[in-house]
Amino acid sequence: MNTNMVFTLFVKFYIVVGVFQLCQTLAQQHEQIQSESCTHCCNGIPGIPGIPGTTGALGPKGDSGLPGLDGEVGTTGEKGDKGNTGKPGPKGGQGSKGDTGSPGQVRQPPKVAFSVAKTTGIDQVSADTVVIYDKVFSNIGNGYSTVSGKFTCDVSGTYVFMISAIRKNSNLLVCLIKNTEKLTCAYANTRSPYSTASNNVIIDVEQGDEIWVRLGDGHALHSNENRFTTFAGYLLFSNQD
């Protein structure tokens, strides 16, 4: 069976169905006319239904429907790129006052001082000699040694040193020495039976330096229980922060 034959059978079937439906419609209308009142008897039999009209214009938009159900949660997407740094926010208000801190420790400056004297004399020497002072008045910081006769610096800083001596029947020459460096000297000659000599310096001294008094070659000094010959020094200020 080809396509034309199928199409022809389809058209004939459609016509038969249409005629059948038309006969049913006419029969129903005839029965309705007979049951109506006399006022309708003068009306003729209704005609065949007209051809359907054309599609009307689009009606107005209807109301929005109810929201649909939530869909399933999708998978997490890849992490996006870091965004640009935002602008600084506004300045915050002043915070509350903090608690008072605990008192700090007051740092005390180091104290160094000594004062010594000699209670015996030294006869004329044939070589430079260290003068050892045996009487200690004070030795704050324990820098002076009665064994060596020398002051050893333990605190670097600026110091004041003083020497004083007396002669008897011979010339006197005593010098203040820093390590091996001669700083200053005191001298007295034989013009009078007893003559005194003294001197002092203010110098920078480093930790480990030695300060001492030297009696010069060919000279002598006098002292006794009256302690005429003395040596003293003290720290003026330290170099520590």
Side-chain angles (χ1 to χ4, degrees), residues 67-95:
L69 300 176
D70 293 337
E72 296 181 356
V73 178
T75 58
T76 303
E78 296 181 358
K79 183 178 180 181
D81 297 333
K82 183 178 179 181
N84 298 328
T85 302
K87 295 181 179 179
K91 182 178 180 181
Q94 183 176 359

PDB file of all heavy atoms in Angstrom, residues 67-95:
ATOM      1  N   PRO A  67       5.718  30.235  43.639  1.00  0.00           N
ATOM      2  CA  PRO A  67       7.155  29.881  43.527  1.00  0.00           C
ATOM      3  C   PRO A  67       7.324  28.383  43.450  1.00  0.00           C
ATOM      4  O   PRO A  67       6.625  27.608  44.119  1.00  0.00           O
ATOM      5  CB  PRO A  67       7.753  30.442  44.813  1.00  0.00           C
ATOM      6  CG  PRO A  67       6.788  31.488  45.277  1.00  0.00           C
ATOM      7  CD  PRO A  67       5.447  31.029  44.845  1.00  0.00           C
ATOM      8  N   GLY A  68       8.261  27.950  42.627  1.00  0.00           N
ATOM      9  CA  GLY A  68       8.537  26.529  42.516  1.00  0.00           C
ATOM     10  C   GLY A  68       9.335  26.026  43.708  1.00  0.00           C
ATOM     11  O   GLY A  68       9.832  26.784  44.540  1.00  0.00           O
ATOM     12  N   LEU A  69       9.424  24.710  43.817  1.00  0.00           N
ATOM     13  CA  LEU A  69      10.201  24.098  44.886  1.00  0.00           C
ATOM     14  C   LEU A  69      11.692  24.355  44.680  1.00  0.00           C
ATOM     15  O   LEU A  69      12.161  24.493  43.552  1.00  0.00           O
ATOM     16  CB  LEU A  69       9.931  22.590  44.914  1.00  0.00           C
ATOM     17  CG  LEU A  69       8.466  22.186  45.164  1.00  0.00           C
ATOM     18  CD1 LEU A  69       8.325  20.663  45.072  1.00  0.00           C
ATOM     19  CD2 LEU A  69       7.969  22.694  46.521  1.00  0.00           C
ATOM     20  N   ASP A  70      12.397  24.429  45.822  1.00  0.00           N
ATOM     21  CA  ASP A  70      13.844  24.644  45.747  1.00  0.00           C
ATOM     22  C   ASP A  70      14.504  23.464  45.071  1.00  0.00           C
ATOM     23  O   ASP A  70      14.165  22.300  45.329  1.00  0.00           O
ATOM     24  CB  ASP A  70      14.447  24.814  47.145  1.00  0.00           C
ATOM     25  CG  ASP A  70      13.958  26.107  47.807  1.00  0.00           C
ATOM     26  OD1 ASP A  70      13.564  27.013  47.058  1.00  0.00           O
ATOM     27  OD2 ASP A  70      14.018  26.190  49.056  1.00  0.00           O
ATOM     28  N   GLY A  71      15.438  23.775  44.193  1.00  0.00           N
ATOM     29  CA  GLY A  71      16.178  22.708  43.549  1.00  0.00           C
ATOM     30  C   GLY A  71      17.264  22.154  44.460  1.00  0.00           C
ATOM     31  O   GLY A  71      17.527  22.669  45.540  1.00  0.00           O
ATOM     32  N   GLU A  72      17.881  21.087  44.021  1.00  0.00           N
ATOM     33  CA  GLU A  72      18.948  20.482  44.800  1.00  0.00           C
ATOM     34  C   GLU A  72      20.179  21.393  44.816  1.00  0.00           C
ATOM     35  O   GLU A  72      20.429  22.142  43.865  1.00  0.00           O
ATOM     36  CB  GLU A  72      19.319  19.127  44.189  1.00  0.00           C
ATOM     37  CG  GLU A  72      18.190  18.100  44.236  1.00  0.00           C
ATOM     38  CD  GLU A  72      18.618  16.779  43.640  1.00  0.00           C
ATOM     39  OE1 GLU A  72      19.760  16.717  43.137  1.00  0.00           O
ATOM     40  OE2 GLU A  72      17.812  15.837  43.663  1.00  0.00           O
ATOM     41  N   VAL A  73      20.926  21.303  45.929  1.00  0.00           N
ATOM     42  CA  VAL A  73      22.145  22.118  46.068  1.00  0.00           C
ATOM     43  C   VAL A  73      23.191  21.629  45.082  1.00  0.00           C
ATOM     44  O   VAL A  73      23.471  20.423  45.017  1.00  0.00           O
ATOM     45  CB  VAL A  73      22.696  22.033  47.506  1.00  0.00           C
ATOM     46  CG1 VAL A  73      23.980  22.836  47.622  1.00  0.00           C
ATOM     47  CG2 VAL A  73      21.654  22.540  48.492  1.00  0.00           C
ATOM     48  N   GLY A  74      23.713  22.545  44.321  1.00  0.00           N
ATOM     49  CA  GLY A  74      24.723  22.176  43.350  1.00  0.00           C
ATOM     50  C   GLY A  74      26.074  21.932  43.996  1.00  0.00           C
ATOM     51  O   GLY A  74      26.298  22.231  45.172  1.00  0.00           O
ATOM     52  N   THR A  75      26.993  21.380  43.246  1.00  0.00           N
ATOM     53  CA  THR A  75      28.345  21.127  43.751  1.00  0.00           C
ATOM     54  C   THR A  75      29.104  22.451  43.899  1.00  0.00           C
ATOM     55  O   THR A  75      28.851  23.422  43.187  1.00  0.00           O
ATOM     56  CB  THR A  75      29.104  20.208  42.786  1.00  0.00           C
ATOM     57  OG1 THR A  75      29.135  20.826  41.491  1.00  0.00           O
ATOM     58  CG2 THR A  75      28.427  18.859  42.683  1.00  0.00           C
ATOM     59  N   THR A  76      30.051  22.450  44.846  1.00  0.00           N
ATOM     60  CA  THR A  76      30.855  23.655  45.098  1.00  0.00           C
ATOM     61  C   THR A  76      31.760  23.937  43.912  1.00  0.00           C
ATOM     62  O   THR A  76      32.442  23.037  43.414  1.00  0.00           O
ATOM     63  CB  THR A  76      31.710  23.472  46.359  1.00  0.00           C
ATOM     64  OG1 THR A  76      30.836  23.163  47.458  1.00  0.00           O
ATOM     65  CG2 THR A  76      32.497  24.737  46.671  1.00  0.00           C
ATOM     66  N   GLY A  77      31.741  25.184  43.472  1.00  0.00           N
ATOM     67  CA  GLY A  77      32.584  25.561  42.355  1.00  0.00           C
ATOM     68  C   GLY A  77      34.026  25.773  42.767  1.00  0.00           C
ATOM     69  O   GLY A  77      34.382  25.726  43.950  1.00  0.00           O
ATOM     70  N   GLU A  78      34.909  25.963  41.803  1.00  0.00           N
ATOM     71  CA  GLU A  78      36.315  26.204  42.075  1.00  0.00           C
ATOM     72  C   GLU A  78      36.517  27.553  42.761  1.00  0.00           C
ATOM     73  O   GLU A  78      35.742  28.485  42.554  1.00  0.00           O
ATOM     74  CB  GLU A  78      37.113  26.172  40.778  1.00  0.00           C
ATOM     75  CG  GLU A  78      37.095  24.814  40.079  1.00  0.00           C
ATOM     76  CD  GLU A  78      37.914  24.848  38.817  1.00  0.00           C
ATOM     77  OE1 GLU A  78      38.458  25.931  38.486  1.00  0.00           O
ATOM     78  OE2 GLU A  78      38.042  23.789  38.160  1.00  0.00           O
ATOM     79  N   LYS A  79      37.574  27.604  43.584  1.00  0.00           N
ATOM     80  CA  LYS A  79      37.889  28.837  44.311  1.00  0.00           C
ATOM     81  C   LYS A  79      38.265  29.937  43.325  1.00  0.00           C
ATOM     82  O   LYS A  79      39.074  29.737  42.419  1.00  0.00           O
ATOM     83  CB  LYS A  79      39.045  28.607  45.289  1.00  0.00           C
ATOM     84  CG  LYS A  79      39.380  29.816  46.133  1.00  0.00           C
ATOM     85  CD  LYS A  79      40.502  29.493  47.121  1.00  0.00           C
ATOM     86  CE  LYS A  79      40.828  30.710  47.958  1.00  0.00           C
ATOM     87  NZ  LYS A  79      41.936  30.416  48.920  1.00  0.00           N
ATOM     88  N   GLY A  80      37.642  31.090  43.485  1.00  0.00           N
ATOM     89  CA  GLY A  80      37.929  32.201  42.592  1.00  0.00           C
ATOM     90  C   GLY A  80      39.246  32.898  42.929  1.00  0.00           C
ATOM     91  O   GLY A  80      39.877  32.641  43.961  1.00  0.00           O
ATOM     92  N   ASP A  81      39.696  33.765  42.047  1.00  0.00           N
ATOM     93  CA  ASP A  81      40.920  34.533  42.259  1.00  0.00           C
ATOM     94  C   ASP A  81      40.735  35.516  43.406  1.00  0.00           C
ATOM     95  O   ASP A  81      39.637  35.993  43.679  1.00  0.00           O
ATOM     96  CB  ASP A  81      41.301  35.297  40.987  1.00  0.00           C
ATOM     97  CG  ASP A  81      41.598  34.346  39.837  1.00  0.00           C
ATOM     98  OD1 ASP A  81      42.000  33.193  40.119  1.00  0.00           O
ATOM     99  OD2 ASP A  81      41.417  34.757  38.679  1.00  0.00           O
ATOM    100  N   LYS A  82      41.859  35.815  44.061  1.00  0.00           N
ATOM    101  CA  LYS A  82      41.836  36.774  45.158  1.00  0.00           C
ATOM    102  C   LYS A  82      41.484  38.163  44.637  1.00  0.00           C
ATOM    103  O   LYS A  82      42.039  38.630  43.638  1.00  0.00           O
ATOM    104  CB  LYS A  82      43.194  36.810  45.850  1.00  0.00           C
ATOM    105  CG  LYS A  82      43.242  37.737  47.044  1.00  0.00           C
ATOM    106  CD  LYS A  82      44.620  37.689  47.711  1.00  0.00           C
ATOM    107  CE  LYS A  82      44.661  38.634  48.903  1.00  0.00           C
ATOM    108  NZ  LYS A  82      46.011  38.608  49.550  1.00  0.00           N
ATOM    109  N   GLY A  83      40.557  38.805  45.297  1.00  0.00           N
ATOM    110  CA  GLY A  83      40.153  40.139  44.883  1.00  0.00           C
ATOM    111  C   GLY A  83      41.165  41.204  45.276  1.00  0.00           C
ATOM    112  O   GLY A  83      42.118  40.956  46.023  1.00  0.00           O
ATOM    113  N   ASN A  84      40.986  42.384  44.738  1.00  0.00           N
ATOM    114  CA  ASN A  84      41.862  43.504  45.061  1.00  0.00           C
ATOM    115  C   ASN A  84      41.676  43.939  46.514  1.00  0.00           C
ATOM    116  O   ASN A  84      40.593  43.794  47.085  1.00  0.00           O
ATOM    117  CB  ASN A  84      41.577  44.693  44.133  1.00  0.00           C
ATOM    118  CG  ASN A  84      41.856  44.351  42.685  1.00  0.00           C
ATOM    119  OD1 ASN A  84      42.753  43.555  42.393  1.00  0.00           O
ATOM    120  ND2 ASN A  84      41.090  44.926  41.779  1.00  0.00           N
ATOM    121  N   THR A  85      42.728  44.468  47.075  1.00  0.00           N
ATOM    122  CA  THR A  85      42.667  44.955  48.455  1.00  0.00           C
ATOM    123  C   THR A  85      41.705  46.131  48.555  1.00  0.00           C
ATOM    124  O   THR A  85      41.762  47.068  47.750  1.00  0.00           O
ATOM    125  CB  THR A  85      44.061  45.404  48.927  1.00  0.00           C
ATOM    126  OG1 THR A  85      44.961  44.295  48.800  1.00  0.00           O
ATOM    127  CG2 THR A  85      44.028  45.851  50.379  1.00  0.00           C
ATOM    128  N   GLY A  86      40.833  46.048  49.530  1.00  0.00           N
ATOM    129  CA  GLY A  86      39.865  47.121  49.707  1.00  0.00           C
ATOM    130  C   GLY A  86      40.481  48.380  50.293  1.00  0.00           C
ATOM    131  O   GLY A  86      41.622  48.385  50.770  1.00  0.00           O
ATOM    132  N   LYS A  87      39.741  49.452  50.246  1.00  0.00           N
ATOM    133  CA  LYS A  87      40.204  50.721  50.799  1.00  0.00           C
ATOM    134  C   LYS A  87      40.232  50.635  52.328  1.00  0.00           C
ATOM    135  O   LYS A  87      39.445  49.916  52.934  1.00  0.00           O
ATOM    136  CB  LYS A  87      39.276  51.858  50.369  1.00  0.00           C
ATOM    137  CG  LYS A  87      39.277  52.107  48.863  1.00  0.00           C
ATOM    138  CD  LYS A  87      38.352  53.268  48.521  1.00  0.00           C
ATOM    139  CE  LYS A  87      38.360  53.550  47.021  1.00  0.00           C
ATOM    140  NZ  LYS A  87      37.456  54.663  46.672  1.00  0.00           N
ATOM    141  N   PRO A  88      41.162  51.367  52.957  1.00  0.00           N
ATOM    142  CA  PRO A  88      41.216  51.346  54.424  1.00  0.00           C
ATOM    143  C   PRO A  88      39.889  51.824  55.019  1.00  0.00           C
ATOM    144  O   PRO A  88      39.232  52.737  54.496  1.00  0.00           O
ATOM    145  CB  PRO A  88      42.349  52.322  54.748  1.00  0.00           C
ATOM    146  CG  PRO A  88      43.166  52.389  53.499  1.00  0.00           C
ATOM    147  CD  PRO A  88      42.200  52.214  52.374  1.00  0.00           C
ATOM    148  N   GLY A  89      39.518  51.169  56.084  1.00  0.00           N
ATOM    149  CA  GLY A  89      38.292  51.562  56.766  1.00  0.00           C
ATOM    150  C   GLY A  89      38.467  52.855  57.538  1.00  0.00           C
ATOM    151  O   GLY A  89      39.580  53.384  57.674  1.00  0.00           O
ATOM    152  N   PRO A  90      37.390  53.384  58.043  1.00  0.00           N
ATOM    153  CA  PRO A  90      37.487  54.641  58.811  1.00  0.00           C
ATOM    154  C   PRO A  90      38.267  54.439  60.107  1.00  0.00           C
ATOM    155  O   PRO A  90      38.347  53.341  60.651  1.00  0.00           O
ATOM    156  CB  PRO A  90      36.011  54.978  59.096  1.00  0.00           C
ATOM    157  CG  PRO A  90      35.306  53.659  59.030  1.00  0.00           C
ATOM    158  CD  PRO A  90      36.017  52.847  57.979  1.00  0.00           C
ATOM    159  N   LYS A  91      38.874  55.489  60.574  1.00  0.00           N
ATOM    160  CA  LYS A  91      39.655  55.444  61.809  1.00  0.00           C
ATOM    161  C   LYS A  91      38.754  55.126  62.988  1.00  0.00           C
ATOM    162  O   LYS A  91      37.689  55.708  63.149  1.00  0.00           O
ATOM    163  CB  LYS A  91      40.345  56.791  62.021  1.00  0.00           C
ATOM    164  CG  LYS A  91      41.238  56.831  63.255  1.00  0.00           C
ATOM    165  CD  LYS A  91      41.929  58.173  63.373  1.00  0.00           C
ATOM    166  CE  LYS A  91      42.811  58.220  64.609  1.00  0.00           C
ATOM    167  NZ  LYS A  91      43.485  59.559  64.742  1.00  0.00           N
ATOM    168  N   GLY A  92      39.205  54.176  63.787  1.00  0.00           N
ATOM    169  CA  GLY A  92      38.425  53.791  64.955  1.00  0.00           C
ATOM    170  C   GLY A  92      38.516  54.829  66.065  1.00  0.00           C
ATOM    171  O   GLY A  92      39.385  55.693  66.073  1.00  0.00           O
ATOM    172  N   GLY A  93      37.611  54.707  66.980  1.00  0.00           N
ATOM    173  CA  GLY A  93      37.615  55.628  68.109  1.00  0.00           C
ATOM    174  C   GLY A  93      38.738  55.312  69.089  1.00  0.00           C
ATOM    175  O   GLY A  93      39.350  54.246  69.059  1.00  0.00           O
ATOM    176  N   GLN A  94      39.034  56.238  69.938  1.00  0.00           N
ATOM    177  CA  GLN A  94      40.101  56.066  70.919  1.00  0.00           C
ATOM    178  C   GLN A  94      39.702  55.004  71.934  1.00  0.00           C
ATOM    179  O   GLN A  94      38.586  54.979  72.443  1.00  0.00           O
ATOM    180  CB  GLN A  94      40.379  57.390  71.643  1.00  0.00           C
ATOM    181  CG  GLN A  94      41.539  57.305  72.634  1.00  0.00           C
ATOM    182  CD  GLN A  94      41.837  58.663  73.245  1.00  0.00           C
ATOM    183  OE1 GLN A  94      41.199  59.644  72.910  1.00  0.00           O
ATOM    184  NE2 GLN A  94      42.809  58.727  74.128  1.00  0.00           N
ATOM    185  N   GLY A  95      40.642  54.097  72.180  1.00  0.00           N
ATOM    186  CA  GLY A  95      40.382  53.035  73.144  1.00  0.00           C
ATOM    187  C   GLY A  95      40.415  53.548  74.574  1.00  0.00           C
ATOM    188  O   GLY A  95      40.818  54.670  74.861  1.00  0.00           O
TER     189      GLY A  95
END
